[in-house]
Amino acid sequence: MIPHLAIAEAQLRGRPRQSAIALASVAVGTAMLIVTLSLTTGLSEDFIAKSVETSPHVEVLPRRPAALQPRELRQDEAVYALRRHHLPDEKRTVRPLAGVLAQAQAIPGVLLATPAVEAQAVLSFGTVQRPVVVTGVLPEEEAALTVLDERVVRGSWSELLRTRDGVALGGQLARSLGVDVGAPLQAASPAGGLVPLRVVAVVESGLATVDRGLAMVHLDRAQALAGLPSDQATSVRLRLADPRQADRVARLAETSLGYVCRSWQQRSASQAEAFARQNLITQVLVFFTVLVAAFGVANVLVQLVSDKRRDIAILRAAGFSRHDIGVIFLHQGVLLGLLGAALGWLGGAALIRVVARLPVDFGEAALLRNEHLRMAEYPWFYLLALAVSLLVCALAAVQPARRAASLAPTEILRGER
Amino acid sequence: MGWREPASVPLEPGENAPVLQATGLVRRLGSGAAAREVLRGVGLTLKAGEFAALTGPSGSGKSTLLYLLGGLDRPDRGEVRIAGTPLSAVHDDDLARLRNRLVGFVYQFHFLLPEFSALDNVLMPLWARGGGRSRADRAWGKELLGWMGLGDKTGKLPRELSGGEQQRVAVARALVNRPQLLLADEPTGNLDSANARMVYQLFRRLHQEQGQTILVVTHDPRWAAASDRVLRLLDGRIVADERRAAGNTAGDADGFDQGGS
């Protein structure tokens, strides 16, 4: 076996400062890649976790699924024109409530089916008015459906259970109305309903859509606002044994109930997509950091090749082939990549832990709010970072290695006189 | 001494078989208007066991010729045969192997790898063919260094050795593959007189005890005077080829052979 690696290593050792700088740049690139993966994955997972815990896994919506519409209407472009209007068969509510609930409850995987009524309304406190979507639920079942009851920061969920005209408000909404627990509100709907309410709980979930928009009341108050009889709801909400099965259960429920059913994944698809896009952009940017590290490696190797011209000539004269010389310098790139990545692993692991402890404030406008960044950590971050830095360093070594291999020994030996 | 003939010799090394044969060597260096013909048709034959010197003024093409003879460089015209093998027929990488196996090189500047010990430097040509790690190889490297009077310095780095010691390490390296042909480019060029004498005596011993074929490019009149055969190169041509009786000791008062080995 030809000791390419031993020679490569000895030559790097012979240039400790340049090698250290190259190692450091690879290490920083690798660490950045790991931390960014951790950060972006952590944010996505946090978003998903919050979406799952603050909303039903599947919603039964008051619309006919496409499959149940008359077949001939779906044939050509005329469908568009028709769909914009209400089909004769279209329902704007889910009904009869008791029957649908019983049917939904029977679907395998469904733990709980509970009705909800969403009503457009304007909440007013004195002269302050805010348009909201008031959601009417059965508060005791809502507690089993989501974790909203656990996210109450002032007042209590049990107070909502006891108070027929109680309302639970999202934290940001409460602040914008300038109200707190105990404040009296008026809810007025376009349908003409006028319902007096009293704030009994303030909820902070960390998810912007909830904290800005939540106004949760008893089912019958929302029915009054929407002008619906008590056997109709605008949706039925399902809680599942396994939230990851939501898509499958939604399809099942759609056929058995005859209403459009939407899983939490479908509901948050556009936001999840925005996250994915943002993550991709961040990761591409970080990849450039690694690329910069690669330039550092290439630079050191180019320097090394020109410093080591004499040694290369000696090796060639001693019987090493062009190929051997090229392999030695490739090994140097790989060595720098490997050691740099190992250092980057340590740095990345440490940084993840430090960043996770930093207090952060995203501000009121953020989609997600937390006191700390949620950092994810999986082995594949480290493996990916290793693979990327190895690949990039090996590529960076290709050109210097070629140059080293193409040096003519006699010109160097002649030039040394 | 564990000196053995190389195991794989492509040609029967008969008593007077040519180890090295060069015909009509032409070499141009530089390009365009700056191009000049450094060698203009050089032919020479070196038989097994010859101890020859190549002399000539600076710029006469000595080093260029030596690189061609050792397969480090290729001629523009002409042919070099080492142990009967025409180098023009050998691919670059194979040439590296052939050079490794048949030719030992010593340079004016000792040219050791600074990161490796004396012993590792000596073993370097064995590494090039995938060896140099076995106990036998290391013992052989140490034996060579011992022979060079460096038995106690095998683990030293080049910077811990004197110039003369470094040059002797380089000689040991040139011998580690038991080459048929030993080529040296001014091996005493930057050594003081005492070290120069020591290197000469090493070469002489190699020649006398092992029958090593040796060709040395030298500026040193003492070395030339002490050689069995002296080739003189001028303006890219060989202009003189003198032979002396083997074992010639007719050097001047400062000659290398005085009180020699």
Side-chain angles (χ1 to χ4, degrees), chain B residues 3 13 77 80 85 114 117 123 151 213 215:
Chain B
W3 191 268
R77 276 212 309 277
V80 173
T85 307
S117 70
L123 296 174
T213 309
L215 177 63

Side-chain angles (χ1 to χ4, degrees), chain B residues 13-222:
Chain B
E15 178 69 12
N16 283 323
V19 170
L20 181 70
Q21 205 171 14
T23 46
L25 292 182
V26 172
R27 182 73 175 107
R28 283 181 216 94
L29 290 179
S31 56
R36 62 202 173 85
E37 216 161 61
V38 178
L39 297 178
R40 309 172 171 192
V42 172
L44 71 89
T45 301
L46 216 57
K47 290 185 175 139
E50 281 201 274
F51 189 99
L54 180 63
T55 66
S58 289
S60 57
K62 302 188 299 293
S63 297
T64 305
L65 176 57
L66 202 67
Y67 296 149
L68 292 183
L69 296 179
L72 271 173
D73 193 12
R74 290 183 184 274
D76 293 303
R77 276 212 309 277
E79 179 68 280
V80 173
R81 288 167 186 268
I82 297 179
T85 307
L87 300 190
S88 64
V90 181
H91 179 266
D92 268 358
D93 281 356
D94 293 332
L95 191 59
R97 269 191 287 282
L98 183 134
R99 189 166 60 225
N100 176 280
R101 211 155 37 81
L102 298 179
V103 186
F105 250 107
V106 182
Y107 311 93
Q108 173 179 8
F109 301 93
H110 5 84
F111 281 162
L112 302 178
L113 297 182
E115 296 91 358
F116 291 89
S117 70
L119 180 59
D120 283 344
N121 265 288
V122 169
L123 296 174
M124 194 67 59
L126 294 179
W127 289 8
R129 42 198 255 198
R133 289 302 173 84
S134 68
R135 190 172 297 181
D137 283 344
R138 294 183 72 80
W140 169 229
K142 283 180 182 166
E143 192 177 332
L144 276 172
L145 280 172
W147 210 48
M148 301 292 146
L150 296 170
D152 54 340
K153 305 206 165 160
T154 57
K156 297 268 193 231
L157 292 176
R159 65 166 177 273
E160 298 168 327
L161 300 172
S162 74
E165 288 171 337
Q166 291 187 38
Q167 188 60 297
R168 281 181 276 150
V169 172
V171 175
R173 178 179 62 194
L175 296 174
V176 75
N177 268 330
R178 304 179 179 92
Q180 300 207 350
L181 179 62
L182 181 62
L183 300 177
D185 189 3
E186 305 206 28
T188 60
N190 59 347
L191 295 183
D192 61 31
S193 159
N195 272 306
R197 181 195 299 269
M198 189 179 281
V199 170
Y200 168 79
Q201 285 168 352
L202 275 174
F203 275 63
R204 214 16 134 170
R205 257 180 77 195
L206 279 172
H207 174 249
Q208 281 169 354
E209 294 177 17
Q210 317 303 334
Q212 180 74 55
T213 309
I214 296 174
L215 177 63
V216 175
V217 164
T218 184
H219 265 314
D220 190 332
R222 294 170 300 174

Side-chain angles (χ1 to χ4, degrees), chain A residues 237-248:
Chain A
R237 292 137 66 94
L238 307 183
R239 179 179 169 77
L240 309 185
D242 181 0
R244 285 167 302 182
Q245 297 293 316
D247 275 329
R248 194 185 58 79

Side-chain angles (χ1 to χ4, degrees), chain A residues 16 54 118 140 190 218 227 243 269 291 408 417:
Chain A
T54 57
E118 292 190 341
E140 63 281 7
H218 283 259
L291 217 58
R417 343 213 87 189

Side-chain angles (χ1 to χ4, degrees), chain A residues 154-170:
Chain A
R154 287 189 300 282
S156 72
W157 198 262
S158 52
E159 192 59 34
L160 182 63
L161 297 186
R162 282 193 294 273
T163 315
R164 299 300 297 172
D165 59 356
V167 59
L169 290 182

